[in-house]
PDB file of all heavy atoms in Angstrom:
ATOM      1  N   VAL A  25      -4.564   9.673  -6.124  1.00  0.00           N
ATOM      2  CA  VAL A  25      -3.839   8.401  -6.048  1.00  0.00           C
ATOM      3  C   VAL A  25      -4.445   7.394  -7.024  1.00  0.00           C
ATOM      4  O   VAL A  25      -3.720   6.679  -7.738  1.00  0.00           O
ATOM      5  CB  VAL A  25      -3.866   7.848  -4.611  1.00  0.00           C
ATOM      6  CG1 VAL A  25      -3.212   6.464  -4.557  1.00  0.00           C
ATOM      7  CG2 VAL A  25      -3.150   8.792  -3.662  1.00  0.00           C
ATOM      8  N   ALA A  26      -5.771   7.324  -7.078  1.00  0.00           N
ATOM      9  CA  ALA A  26      -6.426   6.412  -8.018  1.00  0.00           C
ATOM     10  C   ALA A  26      -6.074   6.774  -9.459  1.00  0.00           C
ATOM     11  O   ALA A  26      -5.859   5.878 -10.304  1.00  0.00           O
ATOM     12  CB  ALA A  26      -7.931   6.451  -7.808  1.00  0.00           C
ATOM     13  N   ASP A  27      -5.990   8.069  -9.760  1.00  0.00           N
ATOM     14  CA  ASP A  27      -5.592   8.491 -11.102  1.00  0.00           C
ATOM     15  C   ASP A  27      -4.150   8.077 -11.412  1.00  0.00           C
ATOM     16  O   ASP A  27      -3.834   7.696 -12.555  1.00  0.00           O
ATOM     17  CB  ASP A  27      -5.734  10.006 -11.244  1.00  0.00           C
ATOM     18  CG  ASP A  27      -7.175  10.477 -11.269  1.00  0.00           C
ATOM     19  OD1 ASP A  27      -8.075   9.633 -11.470  1.00  0.00           O
ATOM     20  OD2 ASP A  27      -7.404  11.700 -11.077  1.00  0.00           O
ATOM     21  N   MET A  28      -3.273   8.170 -10.423  1.00  0.00           N
ATOM     22  CA  MET A  28      -1.897   7.715 -10.612  1.00  0.00           C
ATOM     23  C   MET A  28      -1.869   6.238 -10.967  1.00  0.00           C
ATOM     24  O   MET A  28      -1.182   5.813 -11.911  1.00  0.00           O
ATOM     25  CB  MET A  28      -1.078   7.962  -9.338  1.00  0.00           C
ATOM     26  CG  MET A  28      -0.870   9.428  -8.992  1.00  0.00           C
ATOM     27  SD  MET A  28      -0.161   9.640  -7.325  1.00  0.00           S
ATOM     28  CE  MET A  28       1.535   9.105  -7.590  1.00  0.00           C
ATOM     29  N   HIS A  29      -2.632   5.450 -10.222  1.00  0.00           N
ATOM     30  CA  HIS A  29      -2.659   4.012 -10.491  1.00  0.00           C
ATOM     31  C   HIS A  29      -3.193   3.708 -11.884  1.00  0.00           C
ATOM     32  O   HIS A  29      -2.671   2.836 -12.589  1.00  0.00           O
ATOM     33  CB  HIS A  29      -3.498   3.298  -9.432  1.00  0.00           C
ATOM     34  CG  HIS A  29      -2.747   2.975  -8.184  1.00  0.00           C
ATOM     35  ND1 HIS A  29      -1.705   2.070  -8.160  1.00  0.00           N
ATOM     36  CD2 HIS A  29      -2.879   3.436  -6.914  1.00  0.00           C
ATOM     37  CE1 HIS A  29      -1.225   1.979  -6.932  1.00  0.00           C
ATOM     38  NE2 HIS A  29      -1.912   2.799  -6.162  1.00  0.00           N
ATOM     39  N   ALA A  30      -4.231   4.413 -12.298  1.00  0.00           N
ATOM     40  CA  ALA A  30      -4.798   4.180 -13.625  1.00  0.00           C
ATOM     41  C   ALA A  30      -3.784   4.488 -14.722  1.00  0.00           C
ATOM     42  O   ALA A  30      -3.657   3.732 -15.703  1.00  0.00           O
ATOM     43  CB  ALA A  30      -6.058   5.020 -13.805  1.00  0.00           C
ATOM     44  N   ALA A  31      -3.054   5.591 -14.574  1.00  0.00           N
ATOM     45  CA  ALA A  31      -2.063   5.969 -15.573  1.00  0.00           C
ATOM     46  C   ALA A  31      -0.914   4.978 -15.631  1.00  0.00           C
ATOM     47  O   ALA A  31      -0.434   4.611 -16.714  1.00  0.00           O
ATOM     48  CB  ALA A  31      -1.538   7.380 -15.278  1.00  0.00           C
ATOM     49  N   VAL A  32      -0.469   4.521 -14.462  1.00  0.00           N
ATOM     50  CA  VAL A  32       0.640   3.569 -14.408  1.00  0.00           C
ATOM     51  C   VAL A  32       0.220   2.227 -15.001  1.00  0.00           C
ATOM     52  O   VAL A  32       0.951   1.618 -15.792  1.00  0.00           O
ATOM     53  CB  VAL A  32       1.137   3.402 -12.958  1.00  0.00           C
ATOM     54  CG1 VAL A  32       2.118   2.238 -12.845  1.00  0.00           C
ATOM     55  CG2 VAL A  32       1.791   4.692 -12.481  1.00  0.00           C
ATOM     56  N   ARG A  33      -0.975   1.761 -14.644  1.00  0.00           N
ATOM     57  CA  ARG A  33      -1.412   0.457 -15.152  1.00  0.00           C
ATOM     58  C   ARG A  33      -1.595   0.487 -16.667  1.00  0.00           C
ATOM     59  O   ARG A  33      -1.323  -0.500 -17.357  1.00  0.00           O
ATOM     60  CB  ARG A  33      -2.704   0.025 -14.462  1.00  0.00           C
ATOM     61  CG  ARG A  33      -3.079  -1.409 -14.801  1.00  0.00           C
ATOM     62  CD  ARG A  33      -4.015  -2.021 -13.798  1.00  0.00           C
ATOM     63  NE  ARG A  33      -4.099  -3.460 -13.981  1.00  0.00           N
ATOM     64  CZ  ARG A  33      -4.743  -4.288 -13.158  1.00  0.00           C
ATOM     65  NH1 ARG A  33      -5.348  -3.808 -12.076  1.00  0.00           N
ATOM     66  NH2 ARG A  33      -4.779  -5.592 -13.396  1.00  0.00           N
ATOM     67  N   ALA A  34      -2.045   1.611 -17.199  1.00  0.00           N
ATOM     68  CA  ALA A  34      -2.223   1.721 -18.645  1.00  0.00           C
ATOM     69  C   ALA A  34      -0.890   1.636 -19.391  1.00  0.00           C
ATOM     70  O   ALA A  34      -0.842   1.178 -20.539  1.00  0.00           O
ATOM     71  CB  ALA A  34      -2.924   3.032 -18.986  1.00  0.00           C
ATOM     72  N   LEU A  35       0.189   2.058 -18.747  1.00  0.00           N
ATOM     73  CA  LEU A  35       1.504   2.064 -19.378  1.00  0.00           C
ATOM     74  C   LEU A  35       2.295   0.787 -19.112  1.00  0.00           C
ATOM     75  O   LEU A  35       3.117   0.385 -19.948  1.00  0.00           O
ATOM     76  CB  LEU A  35       2.303   3.278 -18.871  1.00  0.00           C
ATOM     77  CG  LEU A  35       3.730   3.457 -19.404  1.00  0.00           C
ATOM     78  CD1 LEU A  35       3.730   3.647 -20.924  1.00  0.00           C
ATOM     79  CD2 LEU A  35       4.408   4.650 -18.718  1.00  0.00           C
ATOM     80  N   ALA A  36       2.060   0.142 -17.978  1.00  0.00           N
ATOM     81  CA  ALA A  36       2.875  -0.997 -17.559  1.00  0.00           C
ATOM     82  C   ALA A  36       2.725  -2.167 -18.529  1.00  0.00           C
ATOM     83  O   ALA A  36       1.630  -2.681 -18.743  1.00  0.00           O
ATOM     84  CB  ALA A  36       2.479  -1.429 -16.151  1.00  0.00           C
TER      85      ALA A  36
END
Side-chain angles (χ1 to χ4, degrees):
V25 175
D27 290 345
M28 294 170 73
H29 276 294
V32 170
R33 189 159 193 173
L35 179 62

